[in-house]
Amino acid sequence: MNELASKYDPSAVEEKWYAYWMEHRLFHSEPDNREPYTIVIPPPNVTGVLHMGHMLNNTIQDILVRRARMEGKNACWVPGTDHAAISTEAKVVAKLAAEGINKQDLSREQFLEHAWDWTHKYGGIILEQLRKLGASCDWERTAFTMDEQRSQSVIRVFCDLYEKGLIYRGVRMVNWDPVALTALSDEEVIYKEEQSKLYHLRYMVEGTDKYIVVATTRPETILGDTAVCVNPNDERYGWLKGKRVIVPMVGRSVPIIMDDYVEMDFGTGCLKVTPAHDVNDYMLGDKYNLPSIDIFNDNGTISEAGGMYVGMDRFDVRKQIMEDLKQADLIEKIEDYVNKVGHSERTDAVIEPKLSMQWFVKMESLARPALAAVEEGDISFVPAKFRNIYRHWMTSIKDWCISRQLWWGHQIPAWHLPEGGYVVAENEEQALLKAIEKTGNPELTLSDLRRDPDCLDTWFSSWLWPISLFNGILEPENEEFKYYYPTSDLVTAPDIIFFWVARMIMAGYEFAGKKPFGNVYFTGIVRDKKGRKMSKSLGNSPDPLDLIEKYGADGVRMGLMLAAPAGHDIMYDDSLCEQGRNFCNKIWNSFRLIKGWETAEIEQPQSARLAVEWFDARLASTVVEMNDLMSKFRISEALMAVYRLFWDEFSAWYLEVVKPGYGQPLDKTTYEATIHYFDMLLRLLHPFMPFITEELWQHLCERKDGESIMYARIPEDRQADEKLIADFDHLKEVVAGIRTVRKQKQIPQRDSLTLNVREGHDSRLDPIITKMGNISEISVISEKDPAAAGFIVGKVEYSIPLTDKVNVEEELAKLNKDLEYYTKFLAGVEKKLGNEKFVANAPEAVVAIERKKKSDAEEKLATIRAAIAALS
RNA sequence: GGGCGAUUAGCUCAGCUGGUUUAGAGCGUCUGCCUUACAAGCAGAGGGUCUGCGGUUCGAAUCCGUAAUCGCCCACCA
């Protein structure tokens, strides 16, 4: 091992150990009598590729899972992918289009064949990429939202909800995506602020030569106008009561209606009403029985019903109609205007509100227990602020539009009857039976029934994920489900709190009678240095696999985690990964040092004995700290704690103290303690940096085949010797003082020095001072030596005799600076103690602390004054 | 338009129920060092009136109010 390179090379190591873990099935979990720890992965899109968000999210999950495993729990991390209805279908459609094939020319079966081909070709790439990250998923359990078990679960749940009366079908105003050609749920619409125009159009009042002005952002929709509405209290328009106006260009005569929905202050106070293309207008249309003219085709072009511009795209029409209105002098004015426009989450197309027949889930009764669970703390959100967002959404929840006009997905299990109406059933046979029962017609055959063509929203399968992964829908009594469910922690991004988290909670209580998970950890969003969200279109996102290649998986994991407190967005910068990589290198080189030591049957040096004792305390205290932090999901702080333990305490102090002189052997006791500490450090680090820790742990001593650090136990809480830690901290300052003197006086480390100490010095750790400071002798002196360079640690004065190099002026300046500082400090403390109200009101302990501060400062000042006196 | 959150060193953040913090860390910066594990390193140094203003308190980065800036979520103002 002495020939180890001075730099850690992750690539070979990572591949080797991942294969080893897989070969020995170390990620696999089966129910047993240990306590279960379960995480279900937020399933990435089946044909997606890994991005920085996945890296962060899955690193956190892996840390939690690996740690739970090392705590002796039966840890199970279930991976899988989501069929991602709209986005996958869009990809397949685009791919076919590139080959000159039109989706419309294919049958449903033919299209699905292409879609499955695509899925098989690209599906699972992302899961392969997760392995590069070190994800310890139980791959034997890999699931897919459209595999047999998950599909059946979805159908079962649909039928169940239908039986309970929670699913209904009806014509409603929905969000229509004219590119994907499907309805969307409210959550799938992203509102973006856009710079647009407010067009003021003239509507002639029928039978007069007067006109009124109506303001609109969407002039093309005048083709579907069926009324103009004003506020009944608006004095400007009282005269319009009972009148009709002529829709410009179109020439249609429409009534004036009066409703206080209209804001008098906005625009002109006149609102054009287009019931087919605006949610509010739809409500007005409903209230006043207005006709509804659907002027758009599904793809956003003007339909026959529009009467003009038929076949033209909606945005082209907007330009054209403005031209034409201008020609006809029907435009009053055009203003700049900023408004919010809904876009499709998947295709980014501008959403068209559209009346159509869709399927819905009634949400109110589902929401009630789900809201209570989070309010009452049965499920905790980390950070807790997301409870507010959750509560708000849950208390104003609307019905969920679950049908999508797609082929890729779970087809709705409803069959339409020849005479109208439909039945809902789990399969064709049952559908037929129900159809016969419902119609009373025993002659019906399957060919008389027509299966509803729509598919279900992707999230209608994802919301079952924690249940369906363990087959809890189809076989609620099965052993696995009873063992693994409810799962422990869920790690996800906050942007899918409604899409997924809230709905999983609802599904958990509704279909399993229990919460789906105990804690939800919300990650931040990964942003670039300028704070912009990383995205493909901006091209500001590094390829995670390139990063792994460059910095090693452990380096990248560590880099991300260092900057990722829960719920905080992280500003990504390569320097984070560099820090991670450097740390790997530090660990690597510490190992090189230790493995390079020869041991011999010699007596343990005092310094080494003390260092071993001290590090034992230091380790114990960090373990307590880390356990506490991890229990609060303060993962980055826990990582920082072990980072500092390793680097600042173990490498910089412990190893330097016990390190034998050049070519010298080390005693066995110290060697074994060192190996033990290194082992413990590797264990603490393993959840964060799985590869390098496994590599070194395997080299640390003989291991059996199949043995792994993955199953080594994390050290448990233990009382630390705080006094020893404090004494050592004092020692560090003494050594730093010696180093400073060396630096100032340009004395090389190899020249040994004498250290003089005055009263108050505790000699217990002297052997370490001797070694670390290269001190040949520590002598207690009773009087200040004017020919020595001094420094004060705590209330003890130290000095190094340097007859020819000491400048008394400099020494005095140093002391006077200290004098000034502590005089001020003491004054502050005395002021506080002199305040009667403070002494009377503050708790005993706080006053005691101040008194201690006072006496310490006084002693220190006495030391300083004495030193000054001796020099003057 | 409602709600929520943030504002602490150049950057990213700790600082949990006010009191050993005249404020800490990591990174970066600066100054020395190729000292026999590591220059992806070592030894040091500098850097903040805790966004402003008011209040509560013996005591405020911490609690309250207010203003500003930023961010997020929700909402049917054409």
Side-chain angles (χ1 to χ4, degrees), chain A residues 258-274:
Chain A
M258 305 227 166
D259 193 285
D260 55 16
Y261 162 74
V262 176
E263 297 280 334
M264 288 186 279
D265 304 338
F266 187 86
T268 59
C270 293
L271 172 71
K272 64 194 263 327
V273 183
T274 321

Side-chain angles (χ1 to χ4, degrees), chain A residues 4-58:
Chain A
L4 287 175
S6 71
K7 295 210 171 16
Y8 168 61
D9 172 22
S11 54
V13 169
E14 292 174 1
E15 208 163 313
K16 177 176 68 180
W17 292 114
Y18 205 89
Y20 177 88
W21 295 330
M22 288 295 283
E23 183 196 333
H24 293 283
R25 297 179 73 205
L26 299 179
F27 303 152
H28 184 58
S29 164
E30 277 177 28
D32 59 21
N33 48 26
R34 285 176 295 165
E35 184 189 340
Y37 177 86
T38 318
I39 289 188
V40 296
I41 203 170
N45 290 356
V46 63
T47 62
V49 290
L50 204 64
H51 61 242
M52 294 302 282
H54 294 124
M55 293 283 281
L56 174 65
N57 184 278
N58 288 290

Side-chain angles (χ1 to χ4, degrees), chain A residues 14 17-30 34 37 62 65-66 69 74-79 127 130-141 484 557 686 690-691 694 706 708 710-711:
Chain A
E14 292 174 1
W17 292 114
Y18 205 89
Y20 177 88
W21 295 330
M22 288 295 283
E23 183 196 333
H24 293 283
R25 297 179 73 205
L26 299 179
F27 303 152
H28 184 58
S29 164
E30 277 177 28
R34 285 176 295 165
Y37 177 86
D62 198 43
V65 167
R66 285 182 183 271
R69 214 178 266 127
N74 183 353
C76 185
W77 181 13
V78 188
L127 299 182
L130 281 177
R131 298 174 189 218
K132 296 258 185 289
L133 184 66
S136 62
C137 300
D138 186 351
W139 299 108
E140 294 172 42
R141 295 179 178 276
Y484 290 115
R557 288 168 66 115
H686 179 260
F691 294 108
E694 181 76 278
S708 166
M710 278 181 61
Y711 286 89

Side-chain angles (χ1 to χ4, degrees), chain A residues 44 86 99 122 311 362 371 413 606 651 756 767:
Chain A
I86 296 176
E99 292 167 7
Y122 298 103
K362 289 185 191 168
L371 175 61
Q606 287 295 302
S651 294
N756 289 334

